């Protein structure tokens, strides 16, 4: 009897059956498989599993502890919810890609060594890109290619850092890294790319809005959160991460102001919310690290709910721009209500999940005497409510009537949104269940008078400002330039210029070489031709010698061409 069956292998093996199933049988298996994997995850006990030796390497694909379990649990939950949301989609490529993608994410959080982590890390890239390409538009194809190239670069950095780490330490164990080696920064940058830390973030806001309606749910849940997990595991207390996280939190909020596409707006808020987690990792205290894990858990659920609501609007209307939407609450009231639960959760409204997790990180900054960090993260929280909790729902579901008359979203979409909404509410009301899962025991109480007063003041004054400035905060049908401009626009221009310069230089070198060769041949004819000394004494040898020289030069030139 096998001691250990990796949940990722179960998920991959089960996903390979999906292409052979159709109709109701495919739908049943699409729910039964992730539900079974979730049960496996819930039954895992702390310990080390599957240890094996490959040459001189000691691989540990199954390390189970409280940190890995809190991420594995929420990955399993969102896998079930996301597949319910996607039941109406008749596209086995999407479903297989989502399953394999989730298998890669589970493999990362359970990996006890860097080699296993790297294998699952690359599996995530290869599988997730299909959730973008399967939208089957030219824009999604190009966005997917950029997404894949950026993550391939991150994978190269991770591999280089892994090899350098092994050479320096003789170990491939995945634990907190010693910052003394230069490989420390290679691995850190690789993780920061997947965490979407500016200026390395634009792959997210470029690709996620162009993915399929259902694929975006999995994308939002897995890539950045596996990166957060690796940062918690490998880089706790790295001071640089505190300020990178603060920049993320504010950067995402600022660019959400400029976004007109509802899924792009939510994508920027992924950057912002992950910023809280990155800052928590950098602070490195017990409260901050537990707050990071808690916020990753709640964020996956409420962000999925928000994107499911936005996806339902796109699915039913074919539109996703704020300037083209409005008045949909009459026709999609359930979608509107469920979206607002997600909006209140991400805004850290009391009684909803974001309140019991985000305040942990902000409080960690306060008790660690980081006044500026506390203030800037609080400012970012106000911006989150302004745009995700107020701007997006107002101009999508309320506001001016757009003339659209869509039906309510399909039943499976509403069920999936309802499950996510229930988690958002229950975790907000009963945070103890979440706190019990965290990697460190913390004596933290979200519902204190101070926390409630601060949050309610922040939210109410933000709401007042929104309605006072309502005419100035609507969507604007423009494209906002971000750092992806450098590889979307400037990159091709620079590449073409470099190609032309190299081509011109090559032509000049070859022309100059042939001119020098011609001169040398002319001189040789004058000095060693008919009447010359070499010709008179050794004519056959002279001809053979210079023929060999010319052929050798030509071969070199053709090889360089």
């Amino acid at each position: 009897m096998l001691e250990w069956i990796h949940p990722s292998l179960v998920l991959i093996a089960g996903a390979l059956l999906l292409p052979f199933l159709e109709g109701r049988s495919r739908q049943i298996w699409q729910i039964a498989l992730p539900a079974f994997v979730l049960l496996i995850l819930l039954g895992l006990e702390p310990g080390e599993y599957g240890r094996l030796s490959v040459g001189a390497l000691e691989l540990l694909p199954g390390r189970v502890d409280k940190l890995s379990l809190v991420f594995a649990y929420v990955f399993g939950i969102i896998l079930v919810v996301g597949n319910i949301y996607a039941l109406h989609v008749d596209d086995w490529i999407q479903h297989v890609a989502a399953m394999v993608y989730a298998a890669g994410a589970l493999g990362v959080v359970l990996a006890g060594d860097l080699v296993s982590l790297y294998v699952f890390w690359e599996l995530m890239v290869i599988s997730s890109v299909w959730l973008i390409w399967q939208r089957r538009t030219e824009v999604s194809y190009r966005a997917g290619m950029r997404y894949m190239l950026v993550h391939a670069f991150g994978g190269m950095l991770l591999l280089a850092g892994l090899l350098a780490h092994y050479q320096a330490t003789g170990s491939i164990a995945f634990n907190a890294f010693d910052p003394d080696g230069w490989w420390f920064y290679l691995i850190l940058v690789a993780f920061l790319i997947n965490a979407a830390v500016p200026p390395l973030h634009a792959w997210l806001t470029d690709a996620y809005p162009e993915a399929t309606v259902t694929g975006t749910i999995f994308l939002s849940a897995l890539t950045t959160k596996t990166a957060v997990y690796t940062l918690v595991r490998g880089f706790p207390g790295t001071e640089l991460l505190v300020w990178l996280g603060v920049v993320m939190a504010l950067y995402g909020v600022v660019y959400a102001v400029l976004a007109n596409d509802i899924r792009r707006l939510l994508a920027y808020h992924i950057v912002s919310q992950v910023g809280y987690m990155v800052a928590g990792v950098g602070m490195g205290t017990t409260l901050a690290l537990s707050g990071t894990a808690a916020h990753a858990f709640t964020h996956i659920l409420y962000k999925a709910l928000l994107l499911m609501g936005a996806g339902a609007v796109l699915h039913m209307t074919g539109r996703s721009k704020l300037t083209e939407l409005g008045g949909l609450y009459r026709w999609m009231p359930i979608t509107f209500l469920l979206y607002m639960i997600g909006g209140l959760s991400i805004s850290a409204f009391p009684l909803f999940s974001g309140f019991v997790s985000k305040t942990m990180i902000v409080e960690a900054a306060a008790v660690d005497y980081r006044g500026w960090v506390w203030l800037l993260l609080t400012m970012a929280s106000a911006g989150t409510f302004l745009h995700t909790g107020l701007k997006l729902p107002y101009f999508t579901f309320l506001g001016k009537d757009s003339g659209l008359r869509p039906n309510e979203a399909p039943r499976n979409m509403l069920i999936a949104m309802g499950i996510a909404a229930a988690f958002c509410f229950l975790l907000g009301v009963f945070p103890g269940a979440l706190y019990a899962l965290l990697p460190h025991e913390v004596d933290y109480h979200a519902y204190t008078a101070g926390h409630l007063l601060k949050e309610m003041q922040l939210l109410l004054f933000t709401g007042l400002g929104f309605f006072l400035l309502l005419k100035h905060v609507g969507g604007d049908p423009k494209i906002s330039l971000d750092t992806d401009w450098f590889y979307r626009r400037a990159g091709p221009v620079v590449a073409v210029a470099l190609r032309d310069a190299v081509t011109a230089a090559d032509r000049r070198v070859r022309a100059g070489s042939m001119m020098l060769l011609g001169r040398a041949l002319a001189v040789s004819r004058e000095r060693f031709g008919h009447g010359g000394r070499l010709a008179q004494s050794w004519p056959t040898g002279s001809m053979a010698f210079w023929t060999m020289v010319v052929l050798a030069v030509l071969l070199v030139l053709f090889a360089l061409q």
Side-chain angles (χ1 to χ4, degrees):
M1 184 174 180
L2 292 177
E3 176 188 356
W4 163 257
I5 300 178
H6 202 296
S8 295
L9 298 182
V10 175
L11 193 53
I12 293 171
L16 296 179
L17 296 177
L18 283 171
F20 305 100
L21 301 175
E22 295 181 355
R24 183 66 64 183
S25 60
R26 188 265 299 166
Q27 292 179 330
I28 293 173
W29 185 243
Q30 194 176 335
I31 302 302
L33 176 60
F36 178 63
V37 171
L38 178 58
L39 289 176
I40 293 176
L41 295 172
L42 293 173
L44 290 177
E45 295 290 338
E48 296 182 350
Y49 303 94
R51 185 182 293 275
L52 69 154
S53 298
V54 179
L57 302 178
E58 287 289 329
L59 303 184
L60 181 60
R63 176 183 51 195
V64 180
D65 58 17
K66 295 194 72 174
L67 177 59
S68 59
L69 282 177
V70 69
F71 282 87
Y73 288 159
V74 73
F75 287 171
I77 292 170
I78 204 61
L79 184 60
V80 174
V81 173
N83 273 284
I84 294 174
Y85 187 77
L87 278 178
H88 64 284
V89 177
D90 186 17
D91 183 357
W92 66 264
I93 295 178
Q94 278 194 62
H95 301 318
V96 172
M99 299 283 194
V100 176
Y101 180 31
L106 289 173
V108 168
V109 300
L110 294 176
D113 68 274
L114 291 172
V115 174
S116 298
L117 182 144
Y118 175 75
V119 171
F120 285 112
W121 191 267
E122 292 301 290
L123 180 63
M124 290 176 62
V125 178
I126 296 169
S127 53
S128 61
V129 70
W130 290 95
L131 299 175
I132 304 167
W133 283 339
Q134 283 305 105
R135 186 138 185 226
R136 295 187 175 94
T137 66
E138 182 65 22
V139 174
S140 65
Y141 172 75
R142 292 180 179 274
M145 287 297 298
R146 292 188 292 268
Y147 171 94
M148 187 167 60
L149 290 173
V150 169
H151 286 285
F153 175 68
M156 290 171 56
L157 293 179
L158 178 58
L159 179 59
L162 185 163
L163 294 173
H165 173 266
Y166 177 69
Q167 184 179 27
T169 66
S171 171
I172 59 169
F174 180 32
N175 297 305
F177 295 113
D178 186 346
D180 291 339
W182 60 272
W183 46 263
F184 175 91
Y185 297 99
L186 285 178
I187 298 175
L188 177 60
V189 173
F191 290 165
L192 292 180
I193 289 175
N194 273 31
V197 175
L200 309 173
H201 70 289
W203 60 266
L204 189 155
T205 53
D206 175 28
Y208 283 15
E210 306 305 332
T212 65
V213 168
T214 57
T216 307
I217 310 307
F218 299 102
L219 290 169
S220 71
L222 300 177
T223 297
T224 52
K225 308 318 171 299
T226 54
V228 169
Y229 165 81
T230 57
L231 290 172
V232 174
R233 178 73 72 182
F235 299 90
T238 302
E239 185 68 20
L240 174 64
L241 296 179
V242 176
W243 296 105
L244 289 178
V246 170
V247 169
M248 288 181 73
L250 293 171
Y251 192 98
V253 164
V254 169
Y255 264 85
V257 176
L258 307 174
N260 187 35
D261 185 279
I262 56 178
R263 295 204 297 173
R264 182 161 281 109
L265 187 154
L266 293 174
Y268 274 112
H269 274 294
I270 294 176
V271 175
S272 178
Q273 294 298 296
V274 173
Y276 285 85
M277 305 171 209
V278 172
V281 175
M283 285 185 269
T285 63
T286 298
L287 179 59
L289 294 176
S290 292
T292 295
H295 200 46
F297 195 104
T298 61
H299 177 267
I300 286 173
L301 294 168
Y302 65 61
K303 181 58 68 173
L305 177 56
L306 292 168
L307 285 166
M308 284 191 282
V313 170
L314 175 60
H315 180 70
M316 299 309 298
T317 67
R319 302 184 185 183
S320 62
K321 291 180 171 40
L322 293 173
T323 49
E324 299 174 352
L325 297 169
L328 299 184
Y329 80 96
R330 299 182 182 89
W331 316 102
M332 304 180 71
I334 302 177
T335 299
F336 171 54
L337 175 63
L338 294 173
Y339 174 90
M340 286 309 303
I341 293 176
L344 295 174
S345 297
I346 193 176
S347 304
F349 206 93
L351 300 181
F352 296 92
S353 59
F355 176 76
V356 304
S357 61
K358 184 187 293 186
T359 54
M360 291 183 72
I361 300 174
V362 179
E363 181 71 8
V367 299
D368 202 29
Y369 302 102
R370 297 176 181 269
W372 279 106
V373 176
W374 179 90
L375 178 62
L376 294 173
L377 291 180
T378 301
M379 289 175 55
S381 185
T384 300
F385 181 50
L386 179 66
H387 300 105
T388 307
L390 294 172
K391 173 183 171 180
L392 191 153
Y394 182 86
F395 289 101
T396 300
F397 296 100
L398 304 171
K400 183 179 179 181
D401 190 349
S402 61
L404 299 171
R405 299 294 183 266
N407 295 322
E408 185 57 274
R411 183 179 303 175
N412 64 290
M413 283 186 163
L414 296 178
I415 292 173
M417 294 173 67
I419 295 172
F423 272 106
C424 290
F425 180 71
L426 292 174
L427 290 174
V429 176
F430 304 106
L434 173 61
Y435 295 163
L437 300 176
L438 300 180
H440 305 287
E441 292 186 7
V442 291
D443 183 18
Y444 178 76
H445 303 281
Y447 290 100
T448 64
H451 291 152
L452 289 169
L453 182 61
K454 177 182 75 70
E455 286 300 318
M456 292 309 299
Q457 285 180 327
L458 182 72
L459 295 169
L460 291 176
F461 278 102
T462 301
L464 177 62
F466 173 78
F467 286 106
L468 289 176
L469 301 173
L470 189 59
K471 294 182 180 180
H472 306 285
V473 295
D476 194 1
K478 295 181 180 179
I479 298 176
S480 303
L481 293 179
D482 203 345
T483 56
D484 59 334
W485 180 87
F486 290 101
Y487 57 81
R488 293 182 64 175
R489 297 299 183 187
V493 172
V494 172
V496 170
L498 288 175
R499 181 202 64 190
D500 292 344
V502 170
T503 301
D506 176 64
R507 288 174 179 170
R508 288 194 297 270
V509 169
R510 287 190 289 116
S513 300
M514 294 303 293
M515 182 178 65
L516 291 175
L517 178 61
R519 291 177 179 175
L521 291 174
V523 171
S524 68
R525 283 194 297 269
E526 293 175 0
R527 299 182 62 180
F528 307 109
H530 292 293
R533 184 175 58 184
L534 183 59
Q536 295 173 0
S537 61
W538 192 15
T540 305
S542 175
M543 182 176 65
F545 174 78
W546 287 109
T547 301
M548 180 182 68
V549 171
V550 171
L551 287 174
V553 171
L554 290 176
L555 284 173
V556 171
L557 291 176
F558 280 116
L560 294 174
Q561 187 172 0

